Each structure stands twice: as C-alpha cells, then as structure tokens.
Amino acid sequence: MPPLSPQEAAVLLHKATEPPFSGAYVHTQTPGAYLCRQCGTPLFRAEDKFDSGSGWPSFDDALPQAVRRLPDPDGRRTEIVCAHCGGHLGHVFEGEGFTPKNTRHCVNSLSLHFVPAGKDPAAPTAKAAAPQPGATGPDADAACTGLALLAGGCFWGVEDALGRLPGVCSAQSGYTGGHTPDPTYEEVCTGLTGHAEAVRLTFDPARISYEQILRRFFEIHDPTQLDRQGPDVGEQYRSAVFYVDEDQKNTALRLLDALRGLGYAVVTQVLPAGPFYPAEAYHQHFARRTGRGACHLSVPRFSRRAED
C-alpha cells in the first residue's frame, strides 16, 4: 500500500475522525471490497454496505476475524480496528434497526481502500504489505489476531523479552495510558503526559495464550515497584496491564491475586486500553539492533514464594 497521507495517518494511527459526509466512500455503491488503507487487509464487502444517513460509510457485517472490537476510551462506545495492523477504523453500534443484522460498523473513508469487483482484493493484502513499524515477527500472518498492551519499565527490554516468545508475531514500543496526544519521547520523559512506556504485542492465540504472555510479563519485570523499574524512576516506568476486553481484565486480576498469595506486594495497574502511540523509529528493536537495553531478567515468580 502507498504511504499514508497526513489525514489518513491522523485517523488510522491517532484515532481522529473525518468530518461527516466528507469521505470518498460515503455514497459508494459499486460492487467490490473495502480494504484497510494501512495494511491492505480485506475488511468489508460492498454488499454489506448501506446508507445510514450518518455521514460515514456504514456496513452491517465485516469479513470473518478482520475487525477487532475494543472498549472506547470514552467509556460508552465500542471502537473497531483492523485486526491485522490495529489501524483505527471507527466504531460499531448495535440495536439501531437499520438492517436485519442490526449492526452498524461506522467507518472513516480515510481508513479504507476500495477495490472494485473484478480485481483481486487479496492482491494487496497484509501478506504482501510491509509489516507495521516495530514488528518483530510475521505480523502479516492472518492468525495473529491476539493483542496485548503492557508496560513494565523501559520498553526496550519489555519489547525484547516478550517479542521473542513463540507465538508472538510482533512487538512495538510506544506510549499509552496518558492524556497527551501523539507524545514524543522527550515529552514522556518529563512525567507530565501521564503516558507509560509500553509495548504493543500481536500474537497467535493458537500458539500462545494471553495468560502465558502475562505470566512471562510478570516474571521479566518487578510488579512490586511503584512508578519505577530498577534505576528508571517515574510514572512513565510504572507496571500496568491495559486490557482490551473483560477476559483480559479477569486474567490479569487473577494472576495478580495469585502473586499476592505467594507473598508479592504487587502494585501493577489494570486499566482499559486506550490510544497507543508508536515510539520513534530509533526505539524499535533497540536491544536487538544495538546489543543494549535487554535488561529485563526472568524471575520465576509463580513457582516460588516471595522472600520475607
């Protein structure tokens, strides 16, 4: 796929919303398929598109496993993203009665690329697209439908340790959990953005479970340290799990309870996932590229009781 325009990047990467009735595909009725503008993954069929009068393209169905639902930071709506690259698409609504399927995927035109019928919509799919920045594995694999957002100190070490797990498809360093949009590293280092240094993982649930990833996460950093990790001190280095659904939330809480039962005074935050902002390119794969930053050593916390 061609590079994103600034307007497309604002929507796909930073969750902006295009003005209503401004998009190229609001009234499109041509047969074909709608692909993710960022990675080329097929998302919607033209036959599932309908006119909702909302001012944005509307679909009452999506292709199987192509679209992921996430809790919106506003606490009311449900965000939809491309299941492959995580690009922001829009929101999904149910119970409005527009069609028999009773579902409306409200999508930004800037998030989409339309391929007319008669052309092969699979040609520019994720398998042919370049992996997203910071990918450490075959993120083009359609089986990599799992998503995890974790913060455990310096993201160089977390990305390196978790990105090497079998079944993890990609690991990307970035910032999340704060209130400053699209922050720079320098801004996060001030401790005033509210963001944590975090890692976004995609994984194949058939090869590794979210619980297995979390268990490893709790063993490669110290979840008992408040607003720090080793020599790195500040809120940006806090321990946090940013869950994308209730199953992830419950898994995290259960494992934290298990650690408390073993004597660990854990302080890890468990929070709903919000916007994730990829870190600057020089942070991605830092440990692998430089041989430095792989500072997260494994401690088998779940197999032994904490020392008094």
Side-chain angles (χ1 to χ4, degrees):
M1 300 294 288
L4 300 178
S5 69
Q7 294 80 9
E8 291 166 338
V11 172
L12 282 157
L13 303 181
H14 306 306
K15 305 182 187 295
T17 301
E18 65 193 17
F21 299 103
S22 67
Y25 303 131
V26 175
H27 301 297
T28 303
Q29 296 180 330
T30 308
Y34 292 84
L35 282 54
C36 175
R37 173 62 184 84
Q38 178 167 233
C39 68
T41 298
L43 302 174
F44 304 100
R45 303 179 305 171
E47 51 262 47
D48 296 318
K49 189 173 184 290
F50 66 96
D51 185 0
S52 67
S54 65
W56 293 276
S58 297
F59 304 85
D60 66 2
D61 205 352
L63 292 173
Q65 299 183 334
V67 173
R68 175 181 294 278
R69 299 187 179 194
L70 304 175
D72 192 272
D74 66 12
R76 298 180 292 105
R77 298 177 298 173
T78 300
E79 181 191 4
I80 49 175
V81 300
C82 172
H84 171 257
C85 70
H88 175 72
L89 303 176
H91 295 85
V92 63
F93 304 90
E94 295 180 323
E96 296 176 321
F98 282 110
T99 74
K101 293 183 180 179
N102 218 13
T103 299
R104 175 170 63 98
H105 297 82
C106 184
V107 186
N108 291 279
S109 290
L110 289 170
S111 297
L112 301 173
H113 172 68
F114 179 68
V115 177
K119 293 188 178 181
D120 183 6
T125 62
K127 290 186 181 292
Q132 64 178 25
T136 58
D139 196 27
D141 189 344
C144 301
T145 58
L147 178 66
L149 292 171
L150 304 169
C154 175
F155 46 25
W156 294 343
V158 178
E159 179 202 276
D160 182 67
L162 299 183
R164 295 178 183 272
L165 292 175
V168 170
C169 308
S170 70
Q172 185 177 32
S173 293
Y175 316 111
T176 193
H179 48 76
T180 301
D182 198 18
T184 65
Y185 179 67
E186 289 73 18
E187 289 174 329
V188 172
C189 285
T190 67
L192 301 176
T193 67
H195 286 295
E197 290 195 12
V199 173
R200 177 188 183 275
L201 304 172
T202 63
F203 62 94
D204 180 356
R207 298 178 59 202
I208 190 170
S209 68
Y210 182 71
E211 178 170 339
Q212 288 174 310
I213 292 173
L214 273 195
R215 283 177 173 270
R216 181 65 172 171
F217 168 69
F218 286 128
E219 292 186 336
I220 57 95
H221 85 291
D222 188 347
T224 69
Q225 294 190 339
L226 181 63
D227 289 344
R228 66 174 297 172
Q229 199 64 206
D232 296 320
V233 179
E235 185 185 21
Q236 67 270 32
Y237 298 114
R238 65 189 184 271
S239 173
V241 174
F242 299 94
Y243 60 87
V244 301
D245 56 33
E246 286 299 306
D247 286 341
Q248 289 193 357
K249 175 183 179 181
N250 293 334
T251 299
L253 293 176
R254 177 166 50 80
L255 290 180
L256 287 173
D257 283 343
L259 288 172
R260 293 187 184 99
L262 291 169
Y264 292 98
V266 292
V267 295
T268 304
Q269 298 176 340
V270 179
L271 303 167
F276 177 83
Y277 302 98
E280 295 81 352
Y282 67 88
H283 288 299
Q284 309 300 337
H285 312 311
F286 184 87
R288 292 195 184 193
R289 288 187 293 102
T290 68
R292 297 181 289 119
C295 53
H296 286 63
L297 303 178
S298 179
V299 176
R301 303 188 194 282
F302 291 94
S303 60
R304 64 183 179 89
R305 187 173 296 275
E307 298 178 358
D308 295 332

